[in-house]
Coordinates of all heavy atoms in Angstrom, one line a residue:
R15 N 93.4 124.4 85.6 CA 93.4 123.0 86.0 C 94.2 122.8 87.3 O 94.0 121.8 88.0 CB 93.9 122.1 84.9 CG 93.1 120.9 84.8 CD 93.6 120.1 83.6 NE 92.6 119.2 83.4 CZ 92.7 118.1 82.7 NH1 93.9 117.8 82.2 NH2 91.7 117.3 82.5
D16 N 95.1 123.8 87.6 CA 95.9 123.7 88.8 C 95.1 123.7 90.1 O 95.4 123.3 91.2 CB 97.0 124.7 88.9 CG 98.0 124.5 87.8 OD1 98.1 123.4 87.3 OD2 98.6 125.5 87.4
Q17 N 93.9 124.4 90.0 CA 93.1 124.6 91.1 C 92.0 123.6 91.2 O 91.2 123.7 92.3 CB 92.5 126.1 91.1 CG 93.6 127.1 91.1 CD 93.0 128.5 91.0 OE1 92.0 128.7 90.4 NE2 93.7 129.5 91.5
L18 N 91.8 122.7 90.3 CA 90.7 121.7 90.4 C 91.3 120.5 91.2 O 92.4 120.1 91.0 CB 90.3 121.3 89.0 CG 89.7 122.5 88.1 CD1 89.4 121.9 86.7 CD2 88.4 123.0 88.7
V19 N 90.3 119.9 91.9 CA 90.7 118.6 92.7 C 89.9 117.5 92.1 O 88.7 117.6 92.0 CB 90.3 118.9 94.1 CG1 90.7 117.6 94.9 CG2 91.1 120.1 94.7
P20 N 90.7 116.4 91.7 CA 89.9 115.2 91.2 C 89.4 114.3 92.2 O 90.0 114.2 93.3 CB 91.0 114.5 90.4 CG 92.2 114.8 91.1 CD 92.1 116.3 91.7
A21 N 88.2 113.7 92.0 CA 87.6 112.6 92.8 C 87.7 111.4 91.9 O 87.0 111.3 90.9 CB 86.2 113.0 93.2
L22 N 88.6 110.5 92.3 CA 88.8 109.3 91.5 C 88.1 108.1 92.0 O 87.8 108.0 93.2 CB 90.3 108.9 91.5 CG 91.2 109.9 90.6 CD1 91.8 110.9 91.6 CD2 92.2 109.1 89.8
T23 N 87.9 107.1 91.2 CA 87.3 105.8 91.6 C 88.3 104.8 91.9 O 89.5 104.9 91.3 CB 86.3 105.2 90.6 OG1 87.1 105.1 89.3 CG2 85.2 106.1 90.3
A24 N 88.1 103.9 92.8 CA 89.1 102.9 93.2 C 88.7 101.5 92.5 O 89.5 100.6 92.3 CB 89.3 102.7 94.6
A25 N 87.4 101.4 92.1 CA 86.9 100.2 91.5 C 86.2 100.5 90.2 O 85.8 101.7 89.9 CB 85.8 99.6 92.5
S26 N 85.9 99.6 89.4 CA 85.2 99.7 88.2 C 83.8 99.1 88.3 O 83.5 98.2 89.1 CB 85.9 99.1 87.0 OG 86.2 97.7 87.3
G27 N 82.8 99.6 87.5 CA 81.5 99.0 87.5 C 80.5 100.1 87.0 O 80.9 100.9 86.2
I28 N 79.2 99.9 87.4 CA 78.2 100.9 87.0 C 78.3 102.2 87.9 O 78.4 102.1 89.1 CB 76.9 100.3 87.2 CG1 76.7 99.0 86.3 CG2 75.7 101.2 86.9 CD1 75.4 98.2 86.5
F29 N 78.4 103.3 87.2 CA 78.6 104.5 87.9 C 77.2 105.2 88.1 O 76.4 105.4 87.2 CB 79.4 105.5 87.0 CG 79.7 106.8 87.6 CD1 80.5 107.0 88.7 CD2 79.2 108.0 86.9 CE1 80.8 108.2 89.2 CE2 79.5 109.2 87.5 CZ 80.2 109.4 88.6
E30 N 76.9 105.5 89.4 CA 75.7 106.1 89.8 C 75.9 107.4 90.6 O 76.2 107.3 91.8 CB 74.8 105.2 90.6 CG 73.4 105.8 90.9 CD 72.6 104.7 91.7 OE1 72.9 104.6 92.9 OE2 71.6 104.2 91.1
P31 N 75.9 108.6 89.9 CA 76.3 109.8 90.7 C 75.1 110.1 91.6 O 73.9 109.9 91.2 CB 76.5 110.9 89.6 CG 75.8 110.3 88.4 CD 75.8 108.8 88.5
S32 N 75.4 110.8 92.7 CA 74.3 111.3 93.6 C 74.3 112.8 93.6 O 73.4 113.4 94.2 CB 74.5 110.7 95.1 OG 75.8 111.1 95.5
V33 N 75.2 113.4 92.9 CA 75.1 114.9 92.8 C 75.4 115.1 91.2 O 75.9 114.3 90.5 CB 76.2 115.7 93.6 CG1 75.9 115.5 95.1 CG2 77.6 115.3 93.2
G34 N 74.9 116.3 90.8 CA 75.2 116.7 89.4 C 76.3 117.7 89.3 O 76.8 118.2 90.2
D35 N 76.7 118.0 88.0 CA 77.6 119.0 87.8 C 77.0 120.3 88.3 O 75.8 120.5 88.2 CB 78.2 119.1 86.4 CG 77.0 119.2 85.3 OD1 75.9 119.1 85.7 OD2 77.4 119.3 84.2
D36 N 77.8 121.3 88.8 CA 77.4 122.6 89.2 C 76.8 122.5 90.6 O 76.3 123.4 91.1 CB 76.4 123.2 88.3 CG 76.5 124.8 88.3 OD1 77.7 125.2 88.5 OD2 75.5 125.4 88.1
A37 N 76.9 121.3 91.3 CA 76.4 121.2 92.7 C 77.5 121.6 93.7 O 78.7 121.4 93.4 CB 76.1 119.7 92.9
W38 N 77.1 122.1 94.9 CA 78.0 122.4 95.9 C 78.1 121.1 96.8 O 77.1 120.5 97.1 CB 77.5 123.5 96.8 CG 77.6 124.8 96.0 CD1 76.6 125.4 95.3 CD2 78.7 125.7 96.0 NE1 77.1 126.6 94.8 CE2 78.3 126.8 95.2 CE3 80.0 125.6 96.4 CZ2 79.3 127.8 94.9 CZ3 80.9 126.6 96.2 CH2 80.5 127.7 95.4
V39 N 79.4 120.7 97.1 CA 79.6 119.5 97.9 C 80.5 119.9 99.1 O 81.2 120.9 99.1 CB 80.2 118.4 97.1 CG1 79.3 117.9 96.0 CG2 81.5 118.8 96.5
T40 N 80.5 119.1 100.1 CA 81.3 119.2 101.3 C 82.3 118.1 101.3 O 82.1 117.0 100.8 CB 80.5 119.2 102.6 OG1 79.8 118.0 102.7 CG2 79.5 120.4 102.6
R41 N 83.4 118.2 102.0 CA 84.4 117.3 102.1 C 83.9 115.9 102.8 O 83.1 116.0 103.7 CB 85.6 117.7 103.0 CG 86.7 116.8 103.2 CD 87.8 117.4 104.0 NE 88.9 116.5 104.2 CZ 89.9 116.3 103.4 NH1 90.0 117.2 102.3 NH2 90.9 115.6 103.6
D42 N 84.2 114.8 102.2 CA 83.8 113.5 102.6 C 82.3 113.2 102.4 O 81.8 112.3 102.9 CB 84.1 113.2 104.1 CG 85.7 113.1 104.3 OD1 86.3 112.7 103.4 OD2 86.1 113.5 105.4
Q43 N 81.6 114.1 101.6 CA 80.2 113.8 101.3 C 80.2 112.8 100.2 O 80.9 112.8 99.2 CB 79.6 115.0 100.7 CG 78.2 114.9 100.2 CD 77.7 116.2 99.5 OE1 78.1 117.3 99.8 NE2 76.6 116.1 98.7
P44 N 79.3 111.7 100.3 CA 79.1 110.7 99.2 C 78.5 111.5 97.9 O 77.6 112.2 98.0 CB 78.1 109.8 99.8 CG 78.1 110.0 101.2 CD 78.4 111.4 101.4
I45 N 79.4 111.3 96.9 CA 78.8 111.9 95.6 C 78.6 111.0 94.5 O 78.0 111.4 93.5 CB 80.0 113.0 95.2 CG1 81.4 112.4 95.1 CG2 80.0 114.2 96.1 CD1 82.4 113.3 94.5
A46 N 78.9 109.7 94.7 CA 78.6 108.7 93.7 C 78.8 107.3 94.3 O 79.5 107.1 95.3 CB 79.5 108.8 92.4
R47 N 78.2 106.3 93.6 CA 78.4 104.9 94.0 C 78.9 104.1 92.7 O 78.5 104.5 91.6 CB 77.2 104.3 94.4 CG 76.7 104.8 95.7 CD 75.5 104.1 96.3 NE 74.4 104.0 95.4 CZ 73.2 103.4 95.5 NH1 73.1 102.8 96.7 NH2 72.4 103.3 94.7
V48 N 79.8 103.2 92.9 CA 80.2 102.2 91.8 C 79.6 100.9 92.2 O 79.9 100.4 93.3 CB 81.8 102.2 91.7 CG1 82.1 101.2 90.6 CG2 82.2 103.6 91.3
M49 N 78.8 100.3 91.3 CA 78.1 99.1 91.7 C 78.6 97.9 90.8 O 79.0 98.2 89.7 CB 76.6 99.3 91.5 CG 76.1 100.4 92.4 SD 74.3 100.7 92.3 CE 74.1 101.0 90.7
V50 N 78.4 96.8 91.3 CA 78.7 95.5 90.6 C 77.6 95.4 89.5 O 76.4 95.4 89.9 CB 78.7 94.4 91.5 CG1 79.0 93.0 90.8 CG2 79.7 94.5 92.6
P51 N 78.0 95.1 88.3 CA 77.0 95.0 87.2 C 76.1 93.8 87.3 O 75.0 93.8 86.8 CB 77.8 94.8 86.0 CG 79.2 95.3 86.3 CD 79.3 95.1 87.8
F52 N 76.5 92.8 88.0 CA 75.8 91.5 88.0 C 74.6 91.5 89.0 O 73.5 91.0 88.9 CB 76.7 90.3 88.2 CG 77.7 90.2 87.2 CD1 79.1 90.6 87.6 CD2 77.5 89.9 85.9 CE1 80.1 90.5 86.7 CE2 78.5 89.9 85.0 CZ 79.8 90.2 85.4
D53 N 74.8 92.2 90.2 CA 73.8 92.1 91.3 C 73.5 93.5 91.8 O 72.7 93.6 92.8 CB 74.2 91.2 92.4 CG 75.5 91.6 93.1 OD1 76.1 92.7 92.8 OD2 76.0 90.8 93.9
A54 N 74.1 94.6 91.3 CA 73.9 95.9 91.7 C 74.3 96.2 93.2 O 73.7 97.2 93.7 CB 72.4 96.3 91.5
S55 N 75.1 95.4 93.7 CA 75.6 95.7 95.1 C 76.6 96.8 95.0 O 77.3 97.0 93.9 CB 76.2 94.4 95.7 OG 77.3 94.0 95.0
V56 N 76.8 97.6 96.1 CA 77.7 98.7 96.0 C 79.1 98.2 96.1 O 79.4 97.6 97.2 CB 77.4 99.7 97.1 CG1 78.4 100.9 97.1 CG2 75.9 100.3 96.8
R57 N 79.9 98.5 95.3 CA 81.3 98.2 95.3 C 82.2 99.2 95.9 O 83.2 98.9 96.6 CB 81.9 97.9 93.9 CG 83.3 97.4 93.8 CD 83.7 97.0 92.4 NE 83.2 95.7 92.1 CZ 83.1 95.1 90.9 NH1 83.5 95.8 89.9 NH2 82.7 93.9 90.7
E58 N 81.8 100.5 95.7 CA 82.6 101.6 96.2 C 81.6 102.8 96.3 O 80.7 103.0 95.5 CB 83.7 101.9 95.3 CG 84.5 103.2 95.7 CD 85.4 103.8 94.7 OE1 85.4 103.2 93.6 OE2 86.1 104.7 95.0
E59 N 81.9 103.6 97.4 CA 81.2 104.9 97.6 C 82.2 106.0 97.3 O 83.2 106.0 98.1 CB 80.6 105.0 98.9 CG 79.7 106.2 99.1 CD 78.8 106.1 100.3 OE1 79.4 106.1 101.4 OE2 77.6 106.2 100.2
V60 N 82.1 106.8 96.3 CA 83.0 107.8 96.1 C 82.7 109.1 97.0 O 81.5 109.5 96.9 CB 83.0 108.3 94.6 CG1 83.9 109.4 94.3 CG2 83.1 107.0 93.7
L61 N 83.7 109.6 97.7 CA 83.5 110.7 98.6 C 84.2 111.9 98.0 O 85.2 111.8 97.3 CB 84.1 110.4 100.0 CG 83.6 109.1 100.6 CD1 84.3 108.9 101.9 CD2 82.1 109.2 100.9
S62 N 83.6 113.0 98.2 CA 84.3 114.3 97.8 C 85.6 114.5 98.5 O 85.6 114.4 99.8 CB 83.3 115.5 98.1 OG 83.9 116.6 97.7
P63 N 86.7 114.8 97.8 CA 87.9 115.0 98.5 C 88.1 116.4 99.2 O 89.0 116.6 99.9 CB 88.9 114.8 97.3 CG 88.2 115.2 96.1 CD 86.7 114.9 96.4
C64 N 87.2 117.2 98.8 CA 87.2 118.7 99.4 C 85.8 119.3 99.4 O 84.9 118.8 98.6 CB 88.2 119.5 98.7 SG 87.8 119.9 96.9
S65 N 85.7 120.4 100.0 CA 84.4 121.2 99.9 C 84.6 122.1 98.7 O 85.6 122.7 98.5 CB 84.2 122.0 101.1 OG 83.9 121.1 102.2
G66 N 83.5 122.3 97.9 CA 83.6 123.2 96.8 C 82.4 122.9 95.8 O 81.4 122.3 96.2
K67 N 82.6 123.2 94.6 CA 81.6 123.2 93.5 C 82.0 122.2 92.4 O 83.2 122.2 92.0 CB 81.3 124.5 92.9 CG 80.2 124.6 92.0 CD 79.8 126.0 91.7 CE 78.4 126.1 91.0 NZ 78.0 127.4 90.7
V68 N 81.1 121.2 92.0 CA 81.4 120.3 91.0 C 81.5 121.0 89.7 O 80.6 121.7 89.3 CB 80.3 119.2 91.0 CG1 80.6 118.3 89.8 CG2 80.3 118.4 92.3
F69 N 82.7 120.8 89.0 CA 82.9 121.5 87.8 C 82.7 120.5 86.6 O 82.2 120.9 85.5 CB 84.4 121.9 87.7 CG 84.8 122.5 86.4 CD1 84.3 123.8 86.0 CD2 85.6 121.8 85.5 CE1 84.7 124.3 84.8 CE2 86.0 122.4 84.3 CZ 85.5 123.6 83.9
F70 N 83.0 119.2 86.8 CA 82.9 118.2 85.8 C 82.4 116.9 86.5 O 82.8 116.6 87.6 CB 84.2 117.9 85.1 CG 84.3 116.6 84.4 CD1 83.8 116.5 83.1 CD2 84.8 115.4 84.9 CE1 83.8 115.3 82.4 CE2 84.8 114.2 84.3 CZ 84.3 114.2 83.0
M71 N 81.5 116.1 85.7 CA 81.0 114.8 86.3 C 81.2 113.9 85.1 O 80.7 114.1 84.0 CB 79.6 114.9 86.7 CG 79.0 113.6 87.2 SD 77.3 113.7 87.7 CE 76.6 113.8 86.0
H72 N 81.7 112.6 85.5 CA 81.7 111.5 84.5 C 80.3 111.2 84.0 O 79.4 111.1 84.8 CB 82.3 110.3 85.2 CG 82.5 109.1 84.3 ND1 83.6 109.0 83.5 CD2 81.7 108.0 84.2 CE1 83.4 107.8 82.8 NE2 82.3 107.2 83.2
A73 N 80.1 111.1 82.7 CA 78.8 111.0 82.1 C 78.4 109.6 81.7 O 77.2 109.3 81.6 CB 78.6 111.9 81.0
D74 N 79.4 108.7 81.5 CA 79.1 107.4 81.1 C 78.5 106.5 82.2 O 78.9 106.7 83.3 CB 80.3 106.7 80.5 CG 80.8 107.4 79.3 OD1 79.9 107.9 78.5 OD2 82.0 107.4 78.9
P75 N 77.6 105.5 81.9 CA 77.1 104.7 82.9 C 78.1 103.6 83.5 O 77.9 103.1 84.5 CB 75.9 103.9 82.2 CG 76.3 104.0 80.8 CD 77.1 105.2 80.6
L76 N 79.1 103.3 82.8 CA 80.2 102.4 83.3 C 81.5 103.3 83.5 O 81.8 104.2 82.8 CB 80.5 101.4 82.2 CG 79.4 100.4 81.8 CD1 79.8 99.4 80.8 CD2 78.9 99.7 83.1
I77 N 82.2 102.8 84.5 CA 83.5 103.6 84.9 C 84.5 102.5 85.3 O 84.2 101.4 85.7 CB 83.2 104.6 86.0 CG1 84.3 105.6 86.1 CG2 82.9 103.8 87.4 CD1 83.9 106.8 86.9
Y78 N 85.8 102.9 84.9 CA 86.9 102.0 85.3 C 87.6 102.5 86.6 O 87.4 103.6 87.0 CB 87.9 102.0 84.1 CG 87.4 101.5 82.8 CD1 87.1 102.3 81.8 CD2 87.2 100.1 82.7 CE1 86.6 101.7 80.6 CE2 86.7 99.6 81.5 CZ 86.5 100.4 80.5 OH 86.0 99.9 79.3
A79 N 88.4 101.6 87.1 CA 89.1 101.9 88.4 C 90.1 103.0 88.0 O 90.6 103.1 86.9 CB 89.8 100.7 88.8
D80 N 90.4 103.9 88.9 CA 91.4 104.9 88.7 C 91.0 105.9 87.6 O 91.9 106.4 86.9 CB 92.8 104.4 88.5 CG 93.3 103.5 89.6 OD1 93.1 103.9 90.8 OD2 94.0 102.5 89.3
T81 N 89.7 106.2 87.5 CA 89.2 107.1 86.7 C 88.6 108.4 87.3 O 88.2 108.3 88.4 CB 88.0 106.5 85.8 OG1 88.5 105.4 85.1 CG2 87.4 107.5 84.8
I82 N 89.0 109.6 86.8 CA 88.4 110.8 87.4 C 86.9 110.8 87.2 O 86.4 110.9 86.0 CB 89.1 112.0 86.7 CG1 90.6 112.0 87.1 CG2 88.4 113.3 87.3 CD1 91.4 113.1 86.4
A83 N 86.2 110.7 88.3 CA 84.7 110.8 88.2 C 84.2 112.2 88.3 O 83.2 112.5 87.7 CB 84.1 109.9 89.3
F84 N 84.9 113.0 89.0 CA 84.5 114.4 89.2 C 85.8 115.3 89.3 O 86.8 114.9 89.8 CB 83.8 114.6 90.5 CG 82.5 113.9 90.7 CD1 82.4 112.6 91.1 CD2 81.3 114.5 90.3 CE1 81.2 111.9 91.3 CE2 80.1 113.9 90.4 CZ 80.0 112.6 90.9
W85 N 85.6 116.5 88.8 CA 86.6 117.6 89.1 C 85.8 118.6 89.9 O 84.7 119.0 89.6 CB 87.0 118.3 87.8 CG 88.0 117.7 87.0 CD1 87.8 117.0 85.8 CD2 89.4 117.4 87.3 NE1 89.1 116.5 85.3 CE2 90.0 116.8 86.2 CE3 90.3 117.9 88.3 CZ2 91.4 116.5 86.1 CZ3 91.6 117.6 88.2 CH2 92.1 116.9 87.2
I86 N 86.5 119.0 91.0 CA 85.8 119.9 92.0 C 86.7 121.2 92.2 O 87.9 121.1 92.3 CB 85.7 119.2 93.3 CG1 84.7 118.0 93.2 CG2 85.0 120.1 94.4 CD1 84.6 117.1 94.4
V87 N 86.0 122.3 92.1 CA 86.7 123.5 92.4 C 86.5 123.8 93.8 O 85.4 124.0 94.4 CB 86.0 124.7 91.6 CG1 86.7 126.0 91.9 CG2 85.9 124.4 90.1
P88 N 87.7 123.9 94.6 CA 87.6 124.0 96.0 C 87.1 125.4 96.5 O 87.2 126.4 95.7 CB 89.1 124.0 96.5 CG 89.8 123.3 95.3 CD 89.1 123.7 94.1
N89 N 86.4 125.5 97.6 CA 86.0 126.7 98.1 C 87.0 127.8 98.2 O 86.7 129.0 98.0 CB 85.4 126.5 99.5 CG 84.0 125.8 99.6 OD1 83.3 125.8 98.5 ND2 83.6 125.3 100.6
E90 N 88.3 127.4 98.5 CA 89.4 128.4 98.5 C 89.4 129.3 97.3 O 89.8 130.4 97.3 CB 90.7 127.8 98.8 CG 90.7 127.1 100.3 CD 90.1 125.7 100.2 OE1 90.0 125.0 99.2 OE2 89.6 125.3 101.3
V91 N 89.2 128.7 96.2 CA 89.3 129.4 94.9 C 88.3 130.5 94.9 O 88.6 131.7 94.5 CB 89.1 128.5 93.7 CG1 89.0 129.2 92.4 CG2 90.1 127.4 93.7
F92 N 87.1 130.3 95.4 CA 86.0 131.3 95.4 C 86.3 132.4 96.4 O 86.1 133.6 96.1 CB 84.6 130.7 95.7 CG 84.2 129.7 94.6 CD1 84.3 128.4 94.8 CD2 83.8 130.2 93.3 CE1 83.9 127.5 93.8 CE2 83.4 129.3 92.4 CZ 83.5 128.0 92.6
V93 N 86.9 132.0 97.5 CA 87.3 133.0 98.6 C 88.4 134.0 98.0 O 88.4 135.1 98.2 CB 87.8 132.3 99.8 CG1 88.3 133.3 100.9 CG2 86.6 131.5 100.4
D94 N 89.4 133.4 97.3 CA 90.5 134.2 96.8 C 90.0 135.2 95.7 O 90.6 136.2 95.6 CB 91.6 133.2 96.1 CG 92.3 132.5 97.2 OD1 92.3 132.9 98.4 OD2 93.0 131.5 96.9
R95 N 89.0 134.8 95.0 CA 88.5 135.7 94.0 C 87.8 136.9 94.5 O 87.7 138.0 93.9 CB 87.5 135.0 93.0 CG 88.3 134.1 92.1 CD 87.3 133.5 91.0 NE 88.2 132.8 90.0 CZ 87.8 132.5 88.9 NH1 86.6 133.0 88.5 NH2 88.5 131.9 88.0
K96 N 87.2 136.8 95.7 CA 86.4 137.9 96.3 C 87.4 139.0 96.9 O 87.0 140.1 97.0 CB 85.5 137.4 97.4 CG 84.4 136.6 96.9 CD 83.6 136.0 98.0 CE 82.4 135.2 97.5 NZ 81.7 134.6 98.6
T97 N 88.6 138.6 97.2 CA 89.5 139.6 97.8 C 90.3 140.3 96.7 O 90.5 140.0 95.7 CB 90.4 138.9 98.8 OG1 91.2 137.9 98.1 CG2 89.7 138.4 100.0

């Protein structure tokens, strides 16, 4: 767990991921949206904190603020294993 990087939400609402678990992502790539339940407007866009591979993705349709939406394995972990 020391090598995993969390992607947290700042807002609560309907969770709509745009990538799945096991996907490769880049830093600052949009990976999910948090939407207002009443009108489906976007409350927050969750960005990837680093480049790497998605290890875990929040599965429930609703999410709270300050919740880990994704765990990402950084690219550096894969580079270190090859050497």
